Amino acid sequence: MASEPATAELTAGDLVELDVGPVAHGGFCVARHEGRVVFVRHTLPGERIRAQVTEARPGHRFARADCVEVLTPSPHRVPAPCPYAGPGLCGGCDWQHADLAYQRELKAAVVREQFTRLAGIEVDVQVEPVPGDHDGLGWRTRVEFAVDTSGRAGLREHRSHAVVPVQTCLISDPRVLATGVLTGDWSGHDAVDVVAPSAGDPVTVPLPASPDAVPTVTEHLAGQRYSADFEVAARGFWQVHPGAAATFVDTVLDLLDPQPGETALDLYAGVGLFAAALASAVGDAGRVVAVESDASAVACAAGNLAAYPSVVAVRARVDDAFGVPRASRSGPAPRRAQRPRKLRRHPLMPLRADLVVLDPPRTGAGRGVVAQVTALEPRAVAYVACDPAALARDTAYLREGGYHLRELRAFDAFPMTAHLECIAVFGR
């Protein structure tokens, strides 16, 4: 039997010349050095570069590196608009060195690769812009700044706790910077959160902060199919791009087409964004069950949903509400047999539903929750995902449960970064 070819040993700090291959999930591109995979930042597919190794462990099959010199540039390379975007500097942006249209092509390629690898299907998807930014800048309405030992606010390096002092952040909403957060003295704090809501003045929250010291803000949703005001804790979850929430609600309503009298389930409901829109569509004759575990989100949702008598709120983890045994939640079986904790399905959870909206955290819903969703036999499931890999994994579970991907849309809700939002709809 022929032995596998030896791979090069690399050490952090090494300089290597690389021919850059395809884009990878997470803001990297893939290259190889003498048989060893190298994930490289600050480069683009097709470039020849000189890179400095940033992470390499003996025996590992891959290393990480930063491009420090471009020998043959991509035609899509542009000067980064931000002076803090580059090796050893702020790690918040991944693609400032690529023109905006090409950034979206890269993100679409990542979505296609994740679906092929993890769901076993090919998808044809384009990443759509979201209204509200300015050529990919000035969009981030919620920013957490780290604080260095001198009390100055800044941003962290990539995969590091080191704080980079900055005088501006070009992807931040100008109202965030107008608070003076970057010139203030934040000594005694670990970080400072700044929120520029769509209604009212910006709010600054030094961290750590007790929950009762965190104010609420008002976010105005002005969609084509649904409009309302929502109260959200300043440190609670709300989409950071000013056009994202309305775009996503309109898209979910378009894809699901809820009808009066139907029963809908909103899982990971947050402050009730999708639950309120669904309740408006199904009317008083319908029913919407909203499931959320975060205490501050549940408190805000109580007020946001008070005008809709058809909404039933369940405060619980989604897997607990379904009674999913903990051992079955992440998919693969544990190495050692464990007696699953007995859980009872929450009495307010429906046994059947016409529609389901899933908006899980970055880790996804998981096999156990997906199995419970398909057991409800909904006519359609809408899945809102901030991580295409998690969506692709859960797509495979949905297919196991007899549901197929009917439509997939992707949105550039985080320009200049590797992140995006996908909305998929599944049918039986």
Side-chain angles (χ1 to χ4, degrees):
M1 180 181 295
S3 61
E4 294 185 1
T7 57
E9 285 298 329
L10 293 172
T11 304
D14 287 350
L15 288 172
V16 292
E17 287 193 12
L18 301 170
D19 291 311
V20 181
V23 64
H25 187 26
F28 297 90
C29 289
V30 181
R32 291 183 179 273
H33 176 67
E34 297 181 7
R36 190 170 191 181
V37 172
V38 184
F39 292 106
V40 193
R41 282 172 56 81
H42 309 295
T43 188
L44 295 173
E47 292 187 328
R48 182 162 180 81
I49 63 168
R50 183 171 287 112
Q52 184 170 42
V53 177
T54 55
E55 296 179 36
R57 298 180 182 179
H60 278 216
R61 296 193 299 174
F62 68 89
R64 301 181 191 272
D66 279 340
C67 169
V68 295
E69 183 181 357
V70 180
L71 305 176
T72 305
S74 163
H76 302 288
R77 177 174 283 275
V78 297
C82 178
Y84 306 106
L89 300 175
C90 172
C93 292
D94 306 286
W95 299 121
Q96 287 209 12
H97 56 284
D99 69 67
L100 196 56
Y102 190 58
Q103 291 181 33
R104 293 170 184 150
E105 290 183 24
L106 294 175
K107 294 180 184 186
V110 169
V111 174
R112 290 192 293 268
E113 191 272 336
Q114 296 299 311
F115 269 79
T116 300
R117 185 170 62 88
L118 298 174
I121 58 175
E122 295 185 3
V123 295
D124 182 15
V125 66
Q126 294 186 352
V127 177
E128 307 170 39
V130 176
D133 59 64
H134 304 282
D135 295 325
L137 303 175
W139 53 269
R140 193 173 183 96
T141 60
R142 293 168 174 256
V143 185
E144 182 178 307
F145 295 92
V147 175
D148 65 17
T149 54
S150 69
R152 182 177 176 182
L155 297 165
R156 296 195 186 277
E157 295 180 17
H158 180 67
R159 292 174 60 85
S160 171
H161 293 292
V163 180
V164 178
V166 298
Q167 295 180 342
T168 189
C169 172
L170 294 187
I171 65 170
S172 294
D173 187 306
R175 295 173 298 156
V176 169
L177 304 178
T179 63
V181 60
L182 294 177
T183 58
D185 183 357
W186 303 102
S187 298
H189 299 285
D190 298 330
V192 55
D193 220 357
V194 185
V195 179
S198 54
D201 295 328
V203 172
T204 300
V205 183
L207 303 175
S210 61
D212 56 359
V214 177
T216 60
V217 297
T218 300
E219 296 286 359
H220 179 63
L221 181 84
Q224 295 181 353
R225 296 195 50 160
Y226 178 76
S227 297
D229 287 336
F230 290 84
E231 293 300 308
V232 187
R235 284 187 50 76
F237 177 77
W238 187 262
Q239 292 291 341
V240 297
H241 192 293
T247 299
F248 300 162
V249 167
D250 283 341
T251 301
V252 167
L253 292 177
D254 286 342
L255 293 175
L256 289 183
D257 190 25
Q259 299 297 309
E262 288 192 312
T263 296
L265 190 58
D266 181 13
L267 303 178
Y268 315 94
V271 298
L273 176 65
F274 293 110
L278 290 167
S280 178
V282 302
D284 292 348
R287 184 173 184 238
V288 178
V289 179
V291 185
E292 174 57 48
S293 63
D294 181 76
S296 65
V298 170
C300 291
N304 296 333
L305 300 173
Y308 302 101
S310 60
V311 176
V312 176
V314 174
R315 182 183 173 184
R317 286 172 51 108
V318 169
D319 36 20
D320 286 343
F322 275 125
V324 176
R326 296 193 181 274
S328 69
R329 293 180 183 180
S330 60
R335 291 185 178 181
R336 290 191 298 176
Q338 299 176 358
R339 177 179 295 177
R341 196 184 78 172
K342 290 185 177 180
L343 294 171
R344 292 185 178 180
R345 186 188 190 91
H346 195 284
L348 293 177
M349 292 292 282
L351 297 177
R352 291 289 185 271
D354 300 293
L355 304 170
V356 176
V357 175
L358 284 157
D359 187 7
R362 186 169 298 278
T363 52
R367 185 190 295 272
V369 167
V370 169
Q372 293 296 319
V373 167
T374 58
L376 297 171
E377 298 184 350
R379 66 171 176 82
V381 177
Y383 194 126
V384 183
C386 58
D387 188 305
L391 173 58
R393 283 193 296 269
D394 286 345
T395 294
Y397 302 148
L398 281 156
R399 295 180 71 201
E400 290 176 0
Y403 281 74
H404 72 281
L405 178 65
R406 287 204 328 228
E407 188 170 345
L408 173 65
R409 295 180 66 182
F411 297 93
D412 196 11
F414 310 90
M416 304 294 170
T417 79
H419 302 293
L420 77 160
E421 201 88 6
C422 293
I423 300 180
V425 65
F426 300 85
R428 282 186 290 181

